[in-house]
Amino acid sequence: MDERDRYDKGMVVRRGVLGEAHVERTVSRKNAFNEEFQDLITRYAWGEIWTRPGLPLHTRSLLTIAMMVALNRADEFKLHVRAAFNNGVSRDEINEVLLQCAIYFVLPAANTSFHLAEEVFSVMNT
């Protein structure tokens, strides 16, 4: 696939997932400063990754929501929650993803911290 095909396929998926209105707003705001970045997003995020056959769009939406939680990216999180409905994701599924995030983005770090603290304590002989 050449870069033009990747862009065109990416734009189709981008419009389908994010919605025509959102993409049109983004396109209307393109300028000399951000044009290359918008092209990059369309070709690689949407044209390369979101078009891959390995995962359905439904799953990609759920994964993206989880990643936005992990990265604490509120604007992108809200964008992808809205977009998830275009991919057949339900409120209940989003709820489950958020509950999964609540546990697995915090508890593993706490678990490791307990183990690390115990290592320090053992060296200190306390």
Side-chain angles (χ1 to χ4, degrees), residues 26-75:
T26 302
V27 168
S28 73
R29 293 179 186 147
K30 279 192 346 185
N31 57 48
F33 182 72
N34 68 27
E35 185 172 15
E36 290 177 319
F37 180 66
Q38 287 300 319
D39 183 65
L40 179 82
I41 291 169
T42 302
R43 284 184 294 123
Y44 290 99
W46 298 104
E48 185 69 29
I49 299 303
W50 281 79
T51 60
R52 293 178 57 81
L55 292 172
L57 295 177
H58 182 276
T59 302
R60 290 187 191 281
S61 281
L62 293 172
L63 288 168
T64 303
I65 288 169
M67 288 184 275
M68 294 306 101
V69 171
L71 295 169
N72 196 24
R73 299 293 189 255
D75 290 338

Side-chain angles (χ1 to χ4, degrees), residues 12-31:
V12 168
V13 174
R14 190 176 187 183
R15 288 178 189 282
V17 172
L18 299 179
E20 190 70 34
H22 173 81
V23 175
E24 281 306 310
R25 274 192 310 277
T26 302
V27 168
S28 73
R29 293 179 186 147
K30 279 192 346 185
N31 57 48

Side-chain angles (χ1 to χ4, degrees), residues 84-114:
F85 288 96
N86 294 331
N87 291 329
V89 175
S90 70
R91 284 179 183 236
D92 289 342
E93 289 170 315
I94 292 170
N95 183 54
E96 289 299 325
V97 166
L98 296 179
L99 290 170
Q100 188 87 8
C101 290
I103 297 301
Y104 282 97
F105 291 155
V106 177
L107 286 182
N111 186 41
T112 298
S113 296
F114 271 96

